[in-house]
Amino acid sequence: MPETPSASPTSPLDGLRFAFGTLTVVPVRVTRWDREAARGGMLCAPLAGLVVGAAAAAAGLLLLFLGAGPLLAAVATAAVPAVLTRGLHLDGLADTADGLGSGKPAEDALRIMKQSDIGPFGVLALVFVLLAQVAALAQAYGGSWARGALAAVVAAAAARTALTLAARTGVPAARPEGLGAAVAGVVP
């Protein structure tokens, strides 16, 4: 990731590039990787969520329009965010479940969370969370196409708003390296 001198002014586009470049597969060039761009990126995270949610809702609505039932529309709606985020949120969930489920002290749990493989707690967390997402979306789509689409958009935006809240001042990073450390405490 490019280093940018801190003396150069930050553009609102730097924050958008940071948000979309780190949180989605949208092909943008992250031109700044510093605390100011991270602040803008975390403030723009809900906007990235809106785009992901809109794409997820569009996939579900397309399937409904083509005659699929609410369950298939729900599966597609849950799959799109996984694809558009490179599974970042699912990987983080699995890592967290493995670390917390290990019952180890904090330092060992963080080491487990950093490993590239997935353990039994991670698998269970992914299965149950994805089943819950699909079940909730299927029920929403079963009520009306608008309710299902709205659920997809609101869920994606709310999840990225949680990132903004987690990056506020006073919330420390779990470890000194990685994306968490780059954005910890950047939002006032």
Side-chain angles (χ1 to χ4, degrees):
M1 304 212 180
E3 290 290 325
T4 304
S6 59
S8 63
T10 302
S11 157
L13 289 178
D14 293 328
L16 280 172
R17 285 188 200 105
F18 189 98
F20 281 91
T22 58
L23 301 175
T24 73
V25 296
V26 174
V28 297
R29 186 167 172 255
V30 179
T31 55
R32 293 185 62 146
W33 187 258
D34 55 28
R35 303 281 293 169
E36 291 79 22
R39 176 181 297 111
M42 291 301 96
L43 291 171
C44 291
L47 180 59
L50 281 175
V51 170
V52 168
L61 292 175
L62 176 64
L63 285 172
L64 289 174
F65 175 75
L66 293 174
L71 183 58
L72 186 56
V75 169
T77 301
V80 167
V83 171
L84 291 182
T85 63
R86 295 178 194 94
L88 182 67
H89 60 297
L90 296 173
D91 182 54
L93 170 66
D95 290 343
T96 301
D98 282 336
L100 294 176
S102 72
K104 305 274 185 182
E107 187 174 305
D108 292 334
L110 283 173
R111 181 186 46 75
I112 289 168
M113 292 166 74
K114 195 172 176 181
Q115 293 173 349
S116 62
D117 61 341
I118 184 171
F121 285 106
V123 170
L124 288 171
L126 288 176
V127 167
F128 288 123
V129 164
L130 288 171
L131 282 173
Q133 286 180 359
V134 168
L137 285 164
Q139 185 170 0
Y141 279 126
S144 77
W145 65 266
R147 189 176 300 149
L150 182 62
V153 173
V154 169
R160 278 47 174 207
T161 301
L163 284 175
T164 303
L165 295 173
R168 69 187 189 282
T169 304
V171 179
R175 51 191 174 92
E177 69 277 349
L179 182 59
V183 301
V186 297
V187 176

